Amino acid sequence: MDQNLFNDICLRQLTFSGVHEGETVVVLTRGAERGEYADAFLWAAQQLGAATYHMRLPSPASASGAWAVGQSGLDQLPLAVEALKAADMVVDCTFLLFSEEQFAIQAAGTRILTAVEPPELLARLMPTKELRERVETGAELLAKAKTMRITSPHGTDVTYQLGVYPTMSEYGYTDQPGRWDHWPAAFVFTGGSDDGVDGKIVLAPGDVLLPFNTYVQTPVELTIEKGFIQDIRGGAGSSGLDADLLRGYIESFDDPRGYGMSHVGWGLDERAHWHGLTQFPGGMGMELRSFYGNVMFSIGPNNELGGPNDTACHFDIPMRGNSLYLDDELIVDAGELTVKDMRPAAKR
């Protein structure tokens, strides 16, 4: 993307995020990554009258090849953490989520926006106030629920006991002290109680495995008891390849908490494409987490919600064509939202 166009969309983003004169905005990058993001956000913050600077962390000394969440690169840099805590807003171009350092920065009242997706995708999925309202409607419904049940034509039937963990909303910008969001994003989620998820989930071709950034090719059956996956196997008539890949990845962390069930919810952005991985390779798959009517469950850490599981092993798995019930009320019907105020204007 042309740098001037990137500057303009970052200005729109920081305007949504309430940046104004007298604030301090820090842009955080790592190594040689996303220098053009830093340039654009620094320019945009200046246009809004904010004091701003770029904090660049060194590249990781080594890489395991696995996406180990919670490893921020700030754990040995307490002075850097203090500087970020002193800012009004941090634009995170590294992905701090699940790290103790991010929690400390938020607790100091600093709001954080993660921006790591390709610029063309950021432009197409620019947040809107209307989308925020729809996401917040979903969050209100989810926060009141005591149970969630997910079913599918492929054999999924799993129940989450709710009420232990808070409900979270993501709508792509952050204008409140201490709040984190991810650009682009449009979904709501919470977590089941630590021993309160039971049933079976059957992944079907076309469901998405993140961070693999791939689509499921062969059915996978997950058996869940008391909040942990007990068995992963290929579905009927399957070669079992996707099951083997999923199981092998979790095993590679040598951490039984990698089998824990984490957050769960649904997507609301009708502009987001299910086929987005074919258009914008190299991102983190945020478009796939947000596409309208998807039901997404996660495996691994729940410390983002205040839970005890801080394993580095993490999966987000958005699924198509599923149905989701809150306290027996149908909320997502085979990929279509049932609540009028959660639908875009064209679907009301």
Side-chain angles (χ1 to χ4, degrees):
M1 174 180 286
D2 176 80
Q3 189 67 41
N4 289 330
L5 293 177
F6 199 14
N7 289 349
D8 288 342
I9 67 167
C10 289
L11 178 59
R12 291 174 61 192
Q13 165 58 244
L14 292 190
T15 301
F16 271 116
S17 290
V19 173
H20 59 269
E21 187 174 355
E23 287 199 310
T24 298
V25 176
V26 180
V27 184
L28 181 68
T29 68
R30 178 181 287 179
E33 295 180 343
R34 303 188 177 93
E36 71 276 25
Y37 291 58
D39 290 342
F41 278 111
L42 291 169
W43 179 87
Q46 287 181 307
Q47 304 312 300
L48 295 171
T52 186
Y53 65 91
H54 179 193
M55 181 184 292
R56 178 182 168 191
L57 303 180
S59 298
S62 62
S64 66
W67 183 47
V69 299
Q71 298 180 5
S72 69
L74 290 168
D75 53 317
Q76 301 299 316
L77 298 169
L79 292 179
V81 175
E82 290 304 311
L84 296 173
K85 288 165 65 175
D88 296 287
M89 181 174 178
V90 172
V91 179
D92 169 27
C93 300
T94 71
F95 197 74
L96 297 175
L97 190 62
F98 299 106
S99 70
E100 291 299 325
E101 294 75 34
Q102 171 159 329
F103 300 148
I105 294 164
Q106 289 180 257
T110 302
R111 62 194 191 273
I112 301 175
L113 178 78
T114 297
V116 296
E117 295 293 317
E120 294 79 7
L121 183 60
L122 298 178
R124 181 161 60 77
L125 298 183
M126 178 64 63
T128 70
K129 292 182 178 179
E130 184 264 348
L131 186 57
R132 174 179 178 170
E133 292 172 356
R134 289 163 44 207
V135 169
E136 290 180 335
T137 295
E140 291 174 6
L141 288 172
L142 183 54
K144 297 174 184 177
K146 297 301 182 185
T147 63
M148 176 191 293
R149 182 185 178 203
I150 303 168
T151 64
S152 81
H154 309 288
T156 292
D157 195 341
V158 63
T159 299
Y160 288 72
Q161 302 301 321
L162 307 181
V164 173
Y165 293 117
T167 293
M168 310 288 282
S169 60
E170 294 185 28
Y171 42 79
Y173 64 99
T174 177
D175 58 358
Q176 301 163 16
R179 187 179 187 278
W180 170 84
D181 213 312
H182 199 152
W183 177 27
F187 54 90
V188 296
F189 61 95
T190 188
S193 59
D194 294 340
D195 61 353
V197 185
D198 296 274
K200 178 182 287 187
I201 295 177
V202 181
L203 305 182
D207 293 340
V208 187
L209 296 173
L210 305 169
F212 286 1
N213 283 16
T214 59
Y215 297 96
V216 171
Q217 303 291 318
T218 60
V220 180
E221 294 185 1
L222 309 176
T223 301
I224 302 123
E225 296 177 3
K226 296 183 177 180
F228 281 81
I229 297 170
Q230 303 298 323
D231 186 59
I232 303 175
R233 66 178 61 194
S238 165
S239 67
L241 176 59
D242 284 293
D244 290 344
L245 289 170
L246 181 60
R247 187 189 314 106
Y249 184 83
I250 297 173
E251 289 175 350
S252 72
F253 286 84
D254 195 25
D255 184 349
R257 299 175 303 162
Y259 294 93
M261 299 298 287
S262 181
H263 61 77
V264 63
W266 63 91
L268 292 105
D269 194 343
E270 73 284 359
R271 304 169 303 168
H273 298 156
W274 159 74
H275 62 269
L277 291 178
T278 66
Q279 292 181 289
F280 297 110
M284 290 184 57
M286 287 307 295
E287 182 170 24
L288 280 298
R289 292 172 173 89
S290 301
F291 75 84
Y292 182 83
N294 88 75
V295 173
M296 182 176 73
F297 76 99
S298 298
I299 304 170
N302 65 0
N303 56 340
E304 176 191 12
L305 295 165
N309 190 342
D310 63 354
T311 181
C313 179
H314 181 57
F315 267 99
D316 284 341
I317 305 179
M319 303 180 292
R320 297 187 302 163
N322 281 229
S323 296
L324 182 149
Y325 301 79
L326 296 179
D327 296 334
D328 297 324
E329 179 183 353
L330 184 61
I331 302 297
V332 183
D333 183 6
E336 178 61 61
L337 299 177
T338 65
V339 179
K340 178 181 177 182
D341 288 345
M342 283 195 291
R343 296 175 177 168
K347 289 179 173 284
R348 295 184 182 178

